[in-house]
């Protein structure tokens, strides 16, 4: 009888392998629970997002999707559990500290400065414009102008740079807000239904935009349109009643009987 023995992994190599896996995970949600008057909007949830991953979160209304993003960005405090972003526990930080750490959040409704031009909206989003002293000392350089022009091209608004944001269509405002977040150079971008209310053409363009964005940062998207999800997602997480129901590729979760029963079948 041939007996095979596994060679022991040297401690330094094991430590290196563990360290690499940790560095690859930008976001780690661990045993997260949040209760509102006894109702658990998020219930002992654990998941992780890797670097440069485009993760889509789906699930029926009330599944805890938006609440999860609220906890990550510091808008809502959890009852228990932790949210580690590059090793730092976001549940112990204030909202402004989380933004400065590299987490950007876009809500369902576009939030732009409608009386300012597209150019000015992008300019005011620069990190150096945050705070009174920084604003007073700010000087518009050729490099800044070039960066804003490049961002406008990225978000399909080059021809709208001089227009007030209030004159933009709903879809264009969504793009502008994404551009404003990107000006802050986040490592993790959280987007809540970014294509809601968009035309089919705008949805297609947004899919291309998100795919490009995810090549340089991690992106978490909440979405309902499965056609859009299949087009953009590297991995899909399905939530139900605040818990993790299923996870995998779009095709895998779409074929999961549990997902069909509680979400896709309806």
């Amino acid at each position: 009888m041939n007996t095979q023995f596994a060679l022991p992994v040297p401690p330094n190599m094991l430590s290196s392998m563990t360290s690499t896996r940790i560095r690859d995970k930008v976001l780690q949600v661990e045993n997260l629970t949040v209760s509102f008057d006894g109702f658990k909007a998020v219930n002992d949830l654990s998941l992780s997002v890797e670097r440069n991953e485009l993760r889509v979160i789906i699930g029926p209304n009330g599944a805890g999707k938006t609440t999860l993003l609220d906890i990550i960005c510091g808008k809502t405090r959890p009852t228990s559990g932790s949210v580690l972003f590059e090793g730092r526990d976001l549940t112990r930080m204030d909202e402004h500290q989380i933004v400065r750490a590299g987490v950007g959040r876009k809500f369902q409704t576009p939030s732009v400065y409608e009386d300012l031009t597209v150019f000015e909206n992008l300019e005011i989003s620069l990190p150096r414009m945050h705070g009174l002293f920084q604003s007073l000392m700010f000087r518009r350089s050729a490099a800044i102008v070039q960066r804003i022009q490049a961002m406008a091209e990225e978000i399909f608004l080059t021809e709208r740079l001089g227009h007030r944001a209030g004159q933009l269509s709903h879809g264009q405002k969504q793009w502008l807000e994404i551009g404003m977040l990107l000006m802050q150079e986040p490592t993790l971008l959280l987007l809540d239904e970014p294509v809601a209310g968009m035309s089919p053409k705008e949805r297609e363009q947004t899919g291309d935009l998100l795919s490009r964005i995810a090549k340089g940062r991690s992106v978490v998207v909440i979405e309902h349109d499965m056609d859009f999800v299949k087009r953009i997602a590297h991995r899909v997480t399905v939530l139900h009643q605040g818990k993790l129901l299923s996870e995998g590729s779009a095709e895998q979760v779409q074929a999961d009987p549990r997902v069909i029963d509680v979400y896709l079948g309806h």
Side-chain angles (χ1 to χ4, degrees):
M1 179 182 298
N2 291 328
T3 305
Q4 293 183 340
F5 295 93
L7 294 175
V9 179
N12 60 336
M13 183 180 296
L14 182 61
S15 174
S16 176
M17 291 165 59
T18 302
S19 177
T20 299
R21 286 196 294 268
I22 292 173
R23 286 199 303 270
D24 286 343
K25 297 190 183 303
V26 169
L27 182 72
Q28 292 176 279
V29 176
E30 299 178 349
N31 306 116
L32 195 66
T33 296
V34 60
S35 299
F36 300 113
D37 297 324
F39 170 71
K40 292 183 177 180
V42 175
N43 190 357
D44 196 27
L45 177 65
S46 296
L47 60 87
S48 62
V49 178
E50 296 186 359
R51 195 170 302 278
N52 299 340
E53 178 186 355
L54 203 167
R55 173 71 60 88
V56 179
I57 299 176
I58 66 173
N61 292 332
K65 305 182 298 295
T66 297
T67 302
L68 173 60
L69 297 198
D70 286 345
I71 296 171
I72 295 172
C73 74
K75 188 169 183 270
T76 297
R77 294 295 182 185
T79 305
S80 61
S82 62
V83 178
L84 301 179
F85 170 66
E86 297 192 319
R88 303 173 65 184
D89 191 349
L90 300 183
T91 65
R92 301 178 181 276
M93 300 166 63
D94 294 329
E95 288 185 65
H96 72 277
Q97 294 174 319
I98 293 173
V99 171
R100 290 175 182 172
V103 179
R105 166 80 182 276
K106 183 196 177 307
F107 293 86
Q108 293 180 6
T109 304
S111 178
V112 299
Y113 300 100
E114 297 207 349
D115 290 333
L116 298 181
T117 65
V118 169
F119 185 100
E120 291 166 337
N121 269 273
L122 295 172
E123 182 177 55
I124 205 171
S125 301
L126 288 165
R128 69 190 70 186
M129 290 290 281
H130 296 172
L132 178 60
F133 178 75
Q134 290 91 332
S135 299
L136 292 174
M137 296 298 293
F138 177 78
R139 293 293 183 271
R140 182 184 294 169
S141 66
I144 288 174
V145 172
Q146 187 176 23
R147 182 179 172 194
I148 291 172
Q149 290 173 337
M151 182 57 67
E153 183 176 1
E154 178 82 359
I155 59 175
F156 319 113
L157 293 178
T158 297
E159 298 180 359
R160 298 284 182 172
L161 266 176
H163 294 228
R164 287 191 299 108
Q167 298 174 313
L168 301 178
S169 69
H170 173 77
Q172 289 171 331
K173 288 178 182 177
Q174 298 273 46
W175 292 338
L176 176 56
E177 188 174 13
I178 291 173
M180 292 167 69
L181 289 172
L182 292 176
M183 293 297 287
Q184 300 172 32
E185 300 183 344
T187 303
L188 174 65
L189 194 59
L190 311 174
L191 306 176
D192 200 342
E193 298 188 36
V195 296
M198 286 188 176
S199 68
K201 177 62 175 176
E202 289 174 332
R203 295 167 81 87
E204 181 181 347
Q205 290 175 284
T206 303
D208 294 338
L209 173 61
L210 297 185
S211 295
R212 290 198 304 271
I213 289 173
K215 292 179 180 178
R217 62 188 51 78
S218 301
V219 182
V220 176
V221 178
I222 291 177
E223 189 48 61
H224 289 287
D225 186 328
M226 281 306 297
D227 288 335
F228 186 75
V229 171
K230 286 190 291 185
R231 180 180 177 187
I232 67 169
H234 297 166
R235 192 168 179 83
V236 179
T237 295
V238 187
L239 300 185
H240 178 54
Q241 296 180 344
K243 295 184 177 182
L244 179 66
L245 179 67
S246 182
E247 194 168 74
S249 68
E251 292 75 15
Q252 287 172 329
V253 301
Q254 206 168 17
D256 189 327
R258 298 170 300 171
V259 179
I260 295 171
D261 182 49
V262 304
Y263 182 53
L264 298 179
H266 300 281

